[in-house]
Amino acid sequence: MGAVGTSARRRGVPWLVLGLWIVALVAVSPFASKLADVQRDRAVDYLPASADSTQVAKIQEQLPGGEATELVVVYHRDGGLTAGDRATAAGQIERIAGEHKLTGEPRGVPSRDGTTLMYPIATTEPGTDEEARDLLVNDVRDVARGSDGLSVEVGGAGALATDASEVYNSLDGPLLYTTAAVVALLLIIIYRSPFLWLVPLAVAGMADYLSMGVAYGLNQGFGTSVSGQSSGIMTILVFGAGTDYALLLVSRYREELRRIERPYDAMVAALKGCGPAVLASSGTVAAGLLCLLAADLNSSRGMGPLGTVGVLCALVAMLTLLPAVLVLLGRRVFWPLVPRLGSTPKARRSLFTAMGSSAGRRPLTVLAGGAVLLGALALGTLNLPGNLKQEDSFTSKPDAVAAMETLAAAYPERGTQPISVITPEDRAEATLASIRDTRGVDSAQEGRTGDGWTEISVLATAAPQSAGETATIEALRDRLEGSYVGGASAEQLDLKDTNARDRLVVVPIVLLSVLLILVVLLRSLVAPLILVAAVVAVWAAALGIGGLVFEPLFGFEGTDPGLGLLSFVFLVALGVDYGIFLMHRMREECLNGAEPATAALTALRTTGGVIASAGLVLAATFAVLTNMPMLQLVELGFVIAVGVLLDTFLVRTYLVTSASVALKRKVWWPGPLSRKPEPPVPPKEPERVTVSAH
C-alpha cells in the first residue's frame, strides 16, 4: 500500500505544481498587461527626489494648466535665410499659435550669421499628460516643415521628452524578443538537444509574465516607480538569472538520473543538492539590488524593487515549474544524449581541469598575475569620457537632438535652452531683479503665476550644458534663497551630483550586506572577503575597459552619471552569485573529508562548465542592451557583460581557486573547517590476561 501511495505522489505532485502555475498566470494576466500603462519616463521619474530641479518640475505641475511643454522651432538654411524663408516661418508659427494656447507671444530670434531663426514657444495644454504632450509635439512638427533647402526642426525640452518616450516605448518588444532569441541559441549550443532548450526558455517566459504582474502590483500598492529602463532590466534579469538557475538544476538532475531510476526521485535529489546554493545566490542578488532603495535618484531607487522582483520570480519558476515539467517529460527530454541509469559520462580532460592544474601548481604566481592584469585594466577608468549630455543620449539622432545641434552651431554666444526659476509669488519682483543682476544671465522673463508661486524663464549667455551655463545655474542657486532653479540643464547637473552622493551611500551598504550574507552562508570570514574583493576588482576592470573603448572605439560623447553605481550593484550581486556556486561545492568537498586544495580543484572541475555556461548566458542577455537606442542602456549592458565574462573566465576560475589553494584551511577561518581534524585515535588493544600455572 505504501508503494502505491508513493507512486501516486510521484505522479500527482508535478501535475499539481503545473496546475497552480496555470492558475497563477491566469490571475496575474489582467495586471501584467497593464504594466506598460504605468510606465513613466518623465524627468521627474528619473530625477533625484530632493533636488532643486525636481521641486521645479513638481511645482510646475501645480501651476495653471500644469507643467508647461517648452519647444523651440528652428529654421535654417546653409547659405542664409531668404525673405521667403522668414515669411514661411512667420506663417507657420502664426498657425501653431492659432491652433494651440501658448503661454506668450512667440518672437523669432535670428542668429548673427543670418542662417538660422529660432522661435521658442511654450504651452500648458498637455499638462502632465505624456500622451497629450506627444500629440502636441507631433502636431507642431506636422505644421513646421521646410522645403527647397530650408530645414525645419523642432527641439526643446518637450520635444526631447517625446523622442525619449518614443524610444523607451519601443524597447519592450525588441528587448524581449532579442533576449529570448539569444538565450535560445545559447541553450541549443549548451544542451545539444532539439527539445531540452525549449523547457527553460518557456519557463523563463512565464516567469517574466509573472514579474510584470507583480511589478504592476508594487506600483499600485506602494507607488514603486516603473520606467522604461527599470522594466527592461527586470526582463534581462528574469531571463539571465533564470537561465543560470536552470543550467545548475538541469546539470545536477542529469547527474542524478545516472544513479537514480525514477525521474521524480532524481529531481528531489537534484533539488536537495543544488537548491541551497541557488536559494543563497538569488537571495544575495536580491539583497544587493534592494540596497538601491537607499539611493536618492528616483530611477535607481525604482530599479531595486523591480530587479528584485525579476530575480525572485525567476527563482520561484526554476525551483517549482521547471522541475515539474522536466519530471513529466521524463528522460526523453534529453534526447539524443539521454542519461542512462548506471552510465558514466565520458571522462575527458576539460578546460577547467587544465585551469585548475595550473592554479594548483603556482597559486601565488597566478594570483599576482591576475591582480596586475585587473589593476592595469582598472586604470582605463581614467579615460572615461565626461558626463553624458542630453543630446548625446541617443544612438541615432532624433529631430530634437538635430535641433539642439543646429542651435549650438548658430548661437554659440548665447543660451538657447531656458532655465526655469520657481519663486514665491510675493518675492517675484525682487527675484527677477536679482536674476537679471546675476553674471552669465542674458535675459529673464516672468511667466505663469499661481498657487503662491511664480515661474521665471531665464536664458544664459553660455551654451546649454556648458561650463559657463553650469556656473550660471550654481550662481542663481546661491543667490536666490527660497527659490528653486530647474530646467533641462539643471536636471543634468542634479543627476551628476546625486549619482556621486548615491555612490557614497549605496556602495558601502551593498558591500556590507553582501559580506554579512556570505559570512552566514559560508561560516567563514576569509572566504567572503576573497569573493567581495574579487567582484570589486572585476567591476573596476570592466569599467576600465569601458574607458578604453567608449570614446576611442565607439565614439561615445559621454558617460551616463549613473553607470558607476548601477554597474557596481549588478556586478557585485551577480558576481558573488557565481562565487557562491563555486564555494558551496568547495565547502561540500571539505565536509566530505577532502583537503582544501583538493576541494578547490574538484569544485572547479565539477562546477566550472556549468558556471561558464551560466556566465555566457548572463553576459549575452546583458549584451542585448548594447543594441538598444539609448546610450545609457548601451553603456550599462557593455560594462556588465564584460564584467560577467571577466568574472567567469578569469576571477572565478583562476584567482578564487588560486587563493583557496594558497590559503588552504585558512580560507575557512574562523569556522570549524579551518582547523585540521584530529587524527583518529586507534582503538586500544584489550589487555592480555596472563594465567600463571600453579
Side-chain angles (χ1 to χ4, degrees):
M1 193 70 179
V4 173
T6 301
S7 178
R9 186 177 69 252
R10 290 183 183 129
R11 290 194 304 269
V13 171
W15 285 111
L16 176 62
V17 171
L18 186 59
L20 289 174
W21 263 93
I22 292 173
V23 171
L25 291 174
V26 170
V28 302
S29 181
F31 309 109
S33 60
K34 293 180 181 179
L35 184 63
D37 298 337
V38 298
Q39 179 177 310
R40 295 288 180 266
D41 292 296
R42 302 170 302 167
V44 174
D45 301 307
Y46 286 85
L47 288 173
S50 60
D52 252 31
S53 55
T54 310
Q55 304 308 313
V56 167
K58 288 180 177 178
I59 294 171
Q60 283 176 332
E61 293 178 359
Q62 302 167 12
L63 292 176
E67 187 177 1
T69 297
E70 296 176 337
L71 305 174
V72 181
V73 185
V74 184
Y75 296 86
H76 176 82
R77 186 183 290 274
D78 288 338
L81 294 170
T82 65
D85 294 337
R86 294 187 181 89
T88 297
Q92 291 180 354
I93 296 299
E94 185 178 353
R95 180 181 165 188
I96 292 169
E99 294 178 357
H100 301 281
K101 186 178 179 180
L102 305 183
T103 56
E105 183 181 349
R107 289 181 291 182
V109 181
S111 63
R112 287 182 180 178
D113 61 7
T115 63
T116 309
L117 178 66
M118 72 168 176
Y119 278 91
I121 61 175
T123 175
T124 59
E125 277 183 9
T128 58
D129 189 331
E130 292 180 54
E131 187 175 347
R133 179 204 64 203
D134 296 344
L135 288 173
L136 166 71
V137 172
N138 290 328
D139 185 46
V140 170
R141 284 173 171 166
D142 287 340
V143 174
R145 292 183 176 274
S147 60
D148 300 326
L150 174 67
S151 68
V152 184
E153 297 155 343
V154 179
L160 195 64
T162 291
D163 290 340
S165 177
E166 184 177 339
V167 168
Y168 276 120
N169 290 335
S170 69
L171 289 181
D172 293 344
L175 184 64
L176 176 61
Y177 305 144
T178 308
T179 302
V182 167
V183 171
L185 178 62
L186 288 172
L187 286 176
I188 291 171
I189 295 172
I190 292 167
Y191 286 141
R192 292 173 289 169
S193 167
F195 307 113
L196 182 56
W197 65 274
L198 280 167
V199 180
L201 185 65
V203 172
M206 294 178 190
D208 185 49
Y209 198 67
L210 176 65
S211 71
M212 293 168 63
V214 176
Y216 178 80
L218 285 178
N219 173 269
Q220 296 299 295
F222 302 97
T224 302
S225 62
V226 179
S227 66
Q229 187 182 50
S230 61
S231 62
I233 293 294
M234 182 178 72
T235 294
I236 290 288
L237 283 171
V238 169
F239 278 89
T243 306
D244 281 3
Y245 303 149
L247 286 167
L248 287 164
L249 179 64
V250 172
S251 174
R252 191 64 177 256
Y253 178 50
R254 189 198 295 264
E255 186 180 322
E256 298 297 341
L257 282 173
R258 297 183 189 277
R259 65 182 192 87
I260 299 176
E261 180 181 0
R262 297 179 183 275
Y264 179 90
D265 297 330
M267 181 57 73
V268 170
L271 287 170
K272 286 180 179 177
C274 71
V278 171
L279 284 169
S281 61
S282 61
T284 306
V285 175
L289 292 175
L290 283 176
C291 292
L292 283 171
L293 287 171
D296 189 34
L297 201 64
N298 286 335
S299 56
S300 297
R301 193 169 61 251
M303 193 178 294
L306 259 66
T308 301
V309 165
V311 170
L312 295 183
C313 286
L315 171 73
V316 172
M318 295 307 168
L319 291 187
T320 58
L321 181 58
L322 178 63
V325 175
L326 288 174
V327 169
L328 290 173
L329 292 174
R331 294 175 185 268
R332 59 185 176 273
V333 74
F334 289 94
W335 187 87
L337 304 174
V338 179
R340 305 293 180 188
L341 182 64
S343 64
T344 55
K346 284 185 179 180
R348 55 186 178 186
R349 184 173 173 80
S350 69
L351 170 65
F352 297 98
T353 302
M355 287 181 168
S357 298
S358 61
R361 287 194 302 270
R362 299 182 183 87
L364 294 178
T365 303
V366 171
L367 267 178
V372 169
L373 175 60
L374 292 175
L377 290 174
L379 292 176
T381 55
L382 301 175
N383 196 48
L384 282 167
N387 287 318
L388 192 66
K389 294 183 179 180
Q390 272 187 312
E391 62 265 30
D392 298 325
S393 298
F394 303 88
T395 55
S396 57
K397 189 185 297 183
D399 194 44
V401 171
M404 293 174 74
E405 291 180 350
T406 301
L407 290 172
Y411 301 87
E413 76 287 348
R414 61 166 294 163
T416 55
Q417 188 166 264
I419 300 168
S420 297
V421 175
I422 297 291
T423 192
E425 191 175 350
D426 57 357
R427 293 168 51 186
E429 290 300 323
T431 301
L432 187 61
S434 182
I435 290 172
R436 288 171 175 164
D437 193 41
T438 301
R439 184 176 180 180
V441 170
D442 179 72
S443 63
Q445 183 177 359
E446 186 175 332
R448 294 176 296 157
T449 301
D451 285 340
W453 297 97
T454 296
E455 181 179 18
I456 300 174
S457 182
V458 182
L459 282 176
T461 56
Q465 296 183 47
S466 63
E469 191 199 41
T470 297
T472 302
I473 292 171
E474 291 174 342
L476 288 171
R477 286 177 169 173
D478 288 341
R479 296 191 65 172
L480 306 178
E481 188 175 349
S483 302
Y484 300 108
V485 180
S489 296
E491 290 169 4
Q492 292 298 107
L493 181 62
D494 289 337
L495 283 174
K496 182 191 74 171
D497 293 343
T498 306
N499 271 296
R501 173 263 174 200
D502 284 351
R503 283 196 299 273
L504 293 176
V505 172
V506 176
V507 167
I509 295 175
V510 171
L511 289 176
L512 183 60
S513 61
V514 169
L515 185 62
L516 288 175
I517 292 172
L518 289 175
V519 168
V520 173
L521 290 174
L522 299 177
R523 300 176 193 178
S524 161
L525 185 58
V526 175
L529 286 172
I530 291 173
L531 292 181
V532 170
V535 292
V536 171
V538 164
W539 166 72
L543 208 57
I545 292 174
L548 296 176
V549 300
F550 279 172
E551 191 171 18
L553 188 61
F554 300 151
F556 296 165
E557 296 294 332
T559 305
D560 177 40
L563 176 64
L565 176 63
L566 293 180
S567 61
F568 178 86
V569 171
F570 282 108
L571 281 176
V572 168
L574 296 169
V576 166
D577 201 26
Y578 293 138
I580 289 174
F581 298 151
L582 183 69
M583 284 288 190
H584 181 268
R585 187 58 179 260
M586 197 183 301
R587 191 171 187 278
E588 190 178 328
E589 294 293 329
C590 286
L591 287 172
N592 289 334
E595 286 296 316
T598 305
L601 300 179
T602 302
L604 177 60
R605 186 179 68 252
T606 54
T607 65
V610 180
I611 290 177
S613 300
L616 283 172
V617 169
L618 191 64
T621 52
F622 272 100
V624 168
L625 292 176
T626 63
N627 196 41
M628 296 296 108
M630 297 295 292
L631 207 61
Q632 295 95 324
L633 295 177
V634 173
E635 292 178 342
L636 182 64
F638 178 88
V639 170
I640 294 177
V642 168
V644 169
L645 291 176
L646 278 175
D647 187 75
T648 301
F649 293 101
L650 173 63
V651 173
R652 206 59 51 215
T653 48
Y654 269 124
L655 302 190
V656 172
T657 303
S658 297
S660 301
V661 171
L663 289 171
K664 298 179 182 177
R665 291 193 177 276
K666 293 177 183 176
V667 76
W668 301 112
W669 185 87
L673 287 176
S674 64
R675 296 183 288 276
K676 193 169 183 177
E678 295 291 332
V681 179
K684 292 182 179 180
E685 293 186 9
E687 294 183 7
R688 293 180 181 178
V689 179
T690 305
V691 180
S692 57
H694 293 284

